[in-house]
């Protein structure tokens, strides 16, 4: 090789290396983009402006056909063939610029413009030369479609609108892919003179420019004559459209500066927002400022509608709070989970009588909504009527720590404290949950029933089926004014009201959807008269009616359980003395459930405390003479082994507690003793107010037959 050849080769290699390395890997590194959120089908739900206050949507991959054609035909007709630089066009530009004495034509290709947009340098001849070299390098790296997409994503379209997609939404209220030829042509001419779009300024030139492009598209065979004629008659866009603003709280939660597709179904979301806005306006008149709603698709488990807080139009502090994601007191809304869990492990059968008698657990004295005790209530009915006292008895039997574990497994992420913190009040709203988590947990029950989820704590299909059956009961006279609800779609649903009427919940499931509604005030103040049933219930049914009806209801599983005889009166496993019973299919572990103790000699007989309240609601209940060996009386208060904290009186002296006993014989006289001291006697209503000193004590009552009953307790 000659020396000249070698030098030439070295120079060539250096130049080649320089050329190969001259272009940064990421052309638009450091560019800030708008946050763009689309629905499950890619429809725009909402967007948030980029950090530099530009409506610059994240880069697109492709440019829709009409826009691509219009852009290429306007800017760079040989784009598809040139290597980044269009030499003939550049030549023509030089000639016409020389003739005019100043710059009238750039002669830049789209590729060169991409380079210019990415570098943002001044427009000199030297820079133009650099751009030309870099453009050839870019052509070497990217396909024509990729280069066109880069251009369409970063070109200025007037004002603070950057990129084709943002421009399509701002000027036409539609995605670029849905634009007509006239609209596509309008956008194609804008980057050349982005200031001309401003309404009332330069509109005539803009129209002329657009029409010239349309004529050109016709002449070059892209559109036929009739398309041209109708395109020419289309008006220019007027004032910019506001961008869609749906599911705004969900949009707010998405990654900043990126385009994200979420599971929302836009048409449904719009309907749900309309409905919740209407309801919110109505509730606002009753002092209820906030309303949120969530809808999940059972099959996919996806959130298909999400209203963090309704009524975006009512400017008001607090409306930005996303209540659907805020932890709130759960009221009674968790009771179905307890029913299902207790059925699943055999703690109860579907209609096991639950105790509904006064409870006092270290000062925790739950009451039913109607402030009555009913003695004994079948579990399914206690759930449907949302009785609090039986729920507390049931939670005690099931175990609060186990139940807390079940709730966490079901996805209630805000129950972070340990079981002793919540105690038995966990089932009455002592814990907090978010509408999103709770609705998801309800959906989880249906998904588990359908065999769609493997990580649900509710695994027994029969237990789930019995739960849905109990919740579809619509006969809840004390809960809801059914006249308010026009048509009721079949659903398994539950309501909840938190302490102090601060939260109103209603959650329902069908075989296809789970819907959750929360009403209240974000700032936490209660509203007299607000209840889950009366306030959130009607909203729930309105939303259920927006959904396509389910073909059928949950089918009763025909296997996977055990057939057992169940006492008709107690709802428990049949003893040999139970007079009437049914053979029903039950969850596997029902075999381990308790046997009916209420038919000791073939007649129905409840323990004294349950009987005391039960007989008032059940005139058919026969109070019989007391048998010798039978339990005749029972303490209603206190429970054996309890620790009492007696409140101090206003004057500082120790306060007292009312002790109470029930006796089966309504005429019995009882004689009371505190430790060894005789206190007195009671008749009919066996109550005695006592103020024992701190320490350990025993209260004993004796009836005329000489039967005695004692309770031991400790006073703190
Ligand atoms: Zn029985």
């Amino acid at each position: 090789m000659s020396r000249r050849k070698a030098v030439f080769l070295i120079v060539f290699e250096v130049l080649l290396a320089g050329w190969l390395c001259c272009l940064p890997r990421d052309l638009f590194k450091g560019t800030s983009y708008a946050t763009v959120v689309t629905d499950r089908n890619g429809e725009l739900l909402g967007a948030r402006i980029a950090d530099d206050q530009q409506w610059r949507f994240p880069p697109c991959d492709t440019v829709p056909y009409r826009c691509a054609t219009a852009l290429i035909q306007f800017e760079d007709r040989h784009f598809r063939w040139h290597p980044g630089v269009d030499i003939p066009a550049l030549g023509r530009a030089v000639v016409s610029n020389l003739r005019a004495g100043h710059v009238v034509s750039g002669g830049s290709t789209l590729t060169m413009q991409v380079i210019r947009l990415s570098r943002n340098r001044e427009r000199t001849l030297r820079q133009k030369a650099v751009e030309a070299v870099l453009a050839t390098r870019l052509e070497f790296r990217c396909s024509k479609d990729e280069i066109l997409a880069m251009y369409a994503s970063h070109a200025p379209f007037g004002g603070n609108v950057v990129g084709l997609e943002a421009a399509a939404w701002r000027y036409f209220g539609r995605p670029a892919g849905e634009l007509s030829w006239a609209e596509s042509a309008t956008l194609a001419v804008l980057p050349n003179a982005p200031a001309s779009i401003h309404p009332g300024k330069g509109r005539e030139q803009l129209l002329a420019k657009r029409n010239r492009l349309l004529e050109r598209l016709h002449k070059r065979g892209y559109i036929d004559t009739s398309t041209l004629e109708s395109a020419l008659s289309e008006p220019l866009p007027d004032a910019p459209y506001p961008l869609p603003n749906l599911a705004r709280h969900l949009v707010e939660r998405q990654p900043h500066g990126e385009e994200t597709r979420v599971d929302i179904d836009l048409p449904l979301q719009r309907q749900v927002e309309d409905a919740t806005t209407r309801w919110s306006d109505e509730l606002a008149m009753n002092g209820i400022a906030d309303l949120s709603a969530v809808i999940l698709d059972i099959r996919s488990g996806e959130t298909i509608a999400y209203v963090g807080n309704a009524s975006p139009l009512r400017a008001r502090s607090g409306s930005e709070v996303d209540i659907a994601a805020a932890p709130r007191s759960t009221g009674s809304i968790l009771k179905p989970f307890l029913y299902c869990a207790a059925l699943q492990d055999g703690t109860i059968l579907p209609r096991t009588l639950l105790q509904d008698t006064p409870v006092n657990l270290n000062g925790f004295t739950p009451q039913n909504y109607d402030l009555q005790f009913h003695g004994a209530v079948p579990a399914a009915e206690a759930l449907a009527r949302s009785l609090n006292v039986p729920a507390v008895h049931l939670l005690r039997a099931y175990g609060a720590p186990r139940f807390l574990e079940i709730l966490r497994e079901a996805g209630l992420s805000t129950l972070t404290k340990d079981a002793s913190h919540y105690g038995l009040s966990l089932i009455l709203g002592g814990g907090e949950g978010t509408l999103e988590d709770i609705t998801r947990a309800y959906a989880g029950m249906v998904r588990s029933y359908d065999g769609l989820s493997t990580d649900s704590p509710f695994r027994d299909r029969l237990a789930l089926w019995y739960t849905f059956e109990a919740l579809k009961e619509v006969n809840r006279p004390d809960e809801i004014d059914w006249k308010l609800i026009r048509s009721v779609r079949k659903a398994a649903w539950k309501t909840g009201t938190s302490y102090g009427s601060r939260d109103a919940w209603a959650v329902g499931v069908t075989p296809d959807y789970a819907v959750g509604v929360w009403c209240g005030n974000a700032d936490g103040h209660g509203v007299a008269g607000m209840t889950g049933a009366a306030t959130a219930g009607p909203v729930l049914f309105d939303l259920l009616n927006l959904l396509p009806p389910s073909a059928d209801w949950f089918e009763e599983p025909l296997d996977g359980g055990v057939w057992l005889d169940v006492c008709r009166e107690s709802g428990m496993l049949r003893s040999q003395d139970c007079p009437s019973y049914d053979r029903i299919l039950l969850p596997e572990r029902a075999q381990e459930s308790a046997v009916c103790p209420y038919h000791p000699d073939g007649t129905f007989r409840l323990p004294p405390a349950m009987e005391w309240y039960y007989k008032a609601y059940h005139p058919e209940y026969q109070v019989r003479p007391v048998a010798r060996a039978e339990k005749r009386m029972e303490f209603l208060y206190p429970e054996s082994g309890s620790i009492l904290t007696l409140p101090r009186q206003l004057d500082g002296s120790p306060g007292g507690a009312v002790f109470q006993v029930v006796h089966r014989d309504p005429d019995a006289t009882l004689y009371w003793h505190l430790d060894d001291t005789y206190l007195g006697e009671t008749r009919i209503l066996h109550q005695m107010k006592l103020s024992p000193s701190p320490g350990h004590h025993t209260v004993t009552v004796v009836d005329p037959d000489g039967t005695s009953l004692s309770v031991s307790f400790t006073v703190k």
Side-chain angles (χ1 to χ4, degrees):
M1 197 191 294
S2 74
R3 208 177 138 186
R4 269 182 65 187
K5 257 188 180 166
V7 168
F8 179 79
L9 205 61
I10 288 168
V11 169
F12 175 76
E13 276 167 8
V14 167
L15 283 175
L16 182 66
W19 181 77
L20 281 172
C21 302
C22 68
L23 200 63
R25 190 67 243 165
D26 184 358
L27 279 185
F28 294 93
K29 197 175 175 195
T31 306
S32 62
Y33 295 102
T35 307
V36 171
V37 182
T38 64
D39 87 336
R40 57 195 303 121
N41 298 312
E43 302 276 326
L44 185 64
L45 284 171
R48 300 289 179 268
I49 203 161
D51 288 341
D52 59 356
Q53 300 304 305
Q54 301 291 308
W55 283 111
R56 186 189 301 105
F57 281 20
C60 59
D61 300 329
T62 53
V63 181
Y65 172 72
R66 289 189 191 117
C67 291
T69 308
L71 278 171
I72 291 171
Q73 293 309 316
F74 182 74
E75 293 279 352
D76 182 7
R77 67 176 298 200
H78 300 119
F79 174 66
R80 294 279 172 197
W81 299 282
H82 64 61
V85 184
D86 187 353
I87 304 289
L90 214 52
R92 278 195 301 279
V94 169
V95 170
S96 57
N97 288 347
L98 284 177
R99 264 194 206 141
H102 57 98
V103 179
V104 292
S105 162
S108 282
T109 62
L110 283 170
T111 321
M112 286 166 70
Q113 294 191 53
V114 169
I115 300 293
R116 184 162 54 73
L117 289 168
S118 76
R119 298 172 80 238
N120 202 18
R121 303 284 170 85
E122 53 189 311
R123 303 174 77 166
T124 61
L125 263 176
R126 188 171 160 271
Q127 282 303 329
K128 198 156 205 148
V130 173
E131 281 162 18
V133 174
L134 294 178
T136 58
R137 178 65 186 88
L138 182 60
E139 290 278 346
F140 194 67
R141 180 192 291 169
C142 298
S143 73
K144 288 287 183 186
D145 284 342
E146 286 168 343
I147 294 167
L148 185 63
M150 281 185 212
Y151 175 77
S153 300
H154 296 96
F157 282 83
N160 60 351
V161 181
V162 179
L164 181 71
E165 196 62 31
W169 279 103
R170 285 295 276 162
Y171 300 133
F172 300 107
R174 272 177 294 133
E178 292 177 17
L179 299 184
S180 68
W181 277 108
E183 290 163 341
S184 302
T186 309
L187 292 188
V189 305
L190 279 177
N192 194 258
S196 59
I197 188 69
H198 286 193
K201 191 179 133 201
R203 283 172 69 84
E204 275 165 35
Q205 288 109 294
L206 177 62
L207 189 67
K209 246 178 168 173
R210 180 200 78 173
N211 289 351
R212 274 204 300 280
L213 176 55
L214 286 169
E215 305 268 12
R216 195 187 293 175
L217 288 168
H218 175 245
K219 208 169 81 192
R220 292 177 184 170
Y222 292 101
I223 55 177
D224 59 27
T225 311
S226 67
T227 309
L228 173 68
E229 276 164 12
S230 69
L232 289 174
S233 66
E234 273 185 46
L236 287 179
D238 292 318
Y241 286 82
L243 290 174
N245 190 18
L246 291 159
R248 61 206 172 97
H249 296 91
L250 199 64
V251 167
E252 217 57 67
R253 259 165 45 181
Q254 302 311 313
H256 190 75
E258 292 173 28
E259 178 164 345
T260 312
R261 189 180 282 220
V262 294
D263 301 326
I264 296 293
D265 178 279
L266 189 140
L268 177 68
Q269 175 73 24
R270 186 170 282 136
Q271 284 183 298
V272 170
E273 291 199 11
D274 289 348
T276 50
T277 301
R278 270 199 315 277
W279 275 108
S280 177
D281 288 341
E282 195 169 319
L283 295 176
M285 291 188 279
N286 298 318
I288 302 165
D290 300 294
L291 165 66
S292 62
V294 175
I295 300 181
L296 271 79
D297 179 277
I298 296 293
R299 247 172 297 279
S300 64
E302 294 167 348
T303 303
I304 54 170
Y306 186 100
V307 178
N309 203 334
S311 82
L313 302 177
R314 211 178 324 120
R316 161 182 75 72
S317 68
S319 73
E320 291 313 312
V321 178
D322 182 355
I323 301 277
R328 307 289 308 198
S329 169
T330 49
S332 294
I333 207 71
L334 306 181
K335 283 176 183 168
F337 302 125
L338 177 60
Y339 181 76
C340 189
L343 273 182
Q344 179 167 279
D345 86 331
T347 303
I348 52 165
L349 305 185
R351 297 187 59 78
T352 292
L353 283 180
L354 294 179
Q355 205 175 332
D356 188 5
T357 55
V359 208
N360 186 325
L361 298 157
N362 303 329
F364 172 53
T365 55
Q367 297 283 336
N368 290 320
Y369 186 69
D370 60 4
L371 302 178
Q372 303 294 316
F373 297 101
H374 310 87
V377 184
E381 197 184 317
L383 175 63
R385 292 167 61 191
S386 202
L387 297 175
N388 290 336
V389 181
V392 169
H393 282 290
L394 179 57
L395 180 58
R396 182 141 70 145
Y398 183 81
R402 281 176 74 203
F403 183 53
L404 182 61
E405 206 45 54
I406 290 264
L407 293 176
R408 287 182 182 145
E409 278 180 55
L412 270 72
S413 58
T414 54
L415 293 169
T416 51
K417 305 218 167 62
D418 57 44
S420 62
H421 172 84
Y422 304 111
L424 295 177
S425 77
L426 180 58
I427 197 61
L428 303 181
E432 293 188 329
T434 70
L435 179 67
E436 203 178 6
D437 280 354
I438 288 169
T439 310
R440 185 161 291 283
Y442 271 75
M445 288 204 291
V446 185
R447 282 173 61 75
S448 183
Y449 170 85
D450 287 338
L452 292 169
S453 71
T454 50
D455 55 351
S456 168
F458 307 107
R459 295 180 195 96
D460 191 296
R461 293 191 73 221
L462 267 159
L464 287 161
W465 182 79
Y466 279 114
T467 307
F468 301 147
E469 283 295 295
L471 294 175
K472 83 170 187 209
E473 289 293 329
V474 290
N475 184 23
R476 309 179 195 183
D478 47 349
E479 273 210 13
I480 198 156
D481 182 357
W482 288 95
K483 289 189 289 290
L484 283 174
I485 296 164
R486 285 155 298 174
S487 69
V488 175
R489 183 144 292 166
K490 196 167 177 182
W493 61 285
K494 183 76 192 77
T495 60
T497 313
S498 71
Y499 179 76
S501 295
R502 295 191 178 95
D503 307 84
W505 303 83
V507 183
V509 293
T510 70
D512 300 311
Y513 301 99
V515 182
V517 173
W518 178 94
C519 310
N521 289 302
D523 63 12
H525 75 261
V527 182
M530 183 180 79
T531 68
T535 314
V539 184
L540 170 70
F541 279 92
D542 226 18
L543 299 186
L544 279 168
N545 283 337
L546 292 177
L547 296 165
S550 294
D552 32 41
W553 186 242
F554 303 100
E555 259 178 62
E556 181 177 6
L558 296 174
D559 49 19
V562 281
W563 289 92
L564 294 169
D565 290 339
V566 173
C567 171
R568 207 170 277 173
E569 276 168 306
S570 71
M572 303 170 80
L573 290 183
R574 170 203 174 199
S575 77
Q576 55 191 12
D577 296 313
C578 294
S580 55
Y581 55 89
D582 300 294
R583 175 156 276 241
I584 59 174
L585 186 60
L586 292 166
E588 200 74 47
R589 295 197 54 188
Q591 302 174 83
E592 298 156 36
S593 193
V595 171
C596 171
Y598 303 132
H599 288 102
D601 52 1
T603 55
F604 186 44
R605 197 126 174 97
L606 291 168
M610 282 162 84
E611 178 181 79
W612 175 263
Y613 293 100
Y614 187 84
K615 63 191 182 192
Y617 290 89
H618 297 270
E620 78 284 0
Y621 183 85
Q622 292 181 9
V623 182
R624 286 161 195 276
V626 187
R628 192 83 218 151
E630 203 177 7
K631 192 174 179 186
R632 317 157 146 253
M633 46 186 168
E634 210 172 346
F635 269 93
L636 284 183
Y637 184 82
E639 274 190 87
S640 181
S642 52
I643 298 163
L644 310 183
T645 312
L646 302 180
R648 290 210 164 260
Q649 308 278 63
L650 283 176
D651 63 3
S653 62
V658 177
F659 285 49
Q660 190 175 3
V661 175
V662 288
H663 196 285
R664 285 195 197 272
D665 180 355
D667 299 326
T669 303
L670 295 187
Y671 306 94
W672 292 68
H673 307 262
L674 173 61
D675 301 318
D676 292 329
T677 314
Y678 176 67
L679 297 169
E681 60 176 60
T682 54
R683 290 177 60 81
I684 304 171
L685 189 60
H686 305 291
Q687 289 183 339
M688 184 78 70
K689 187 171 181 183
L690 301 177
S691 308
S693 56
H696 191 71
H697 298 280
T698 302
V699 165
T700 305
V701 286
V702 184
D703 76 359
D705 291 345
T707 311
S708 72
L709 177 68
S710 297
V711 66
S712 296
F713 57 92
T714 306
V715 174
K716 275 224 283 203

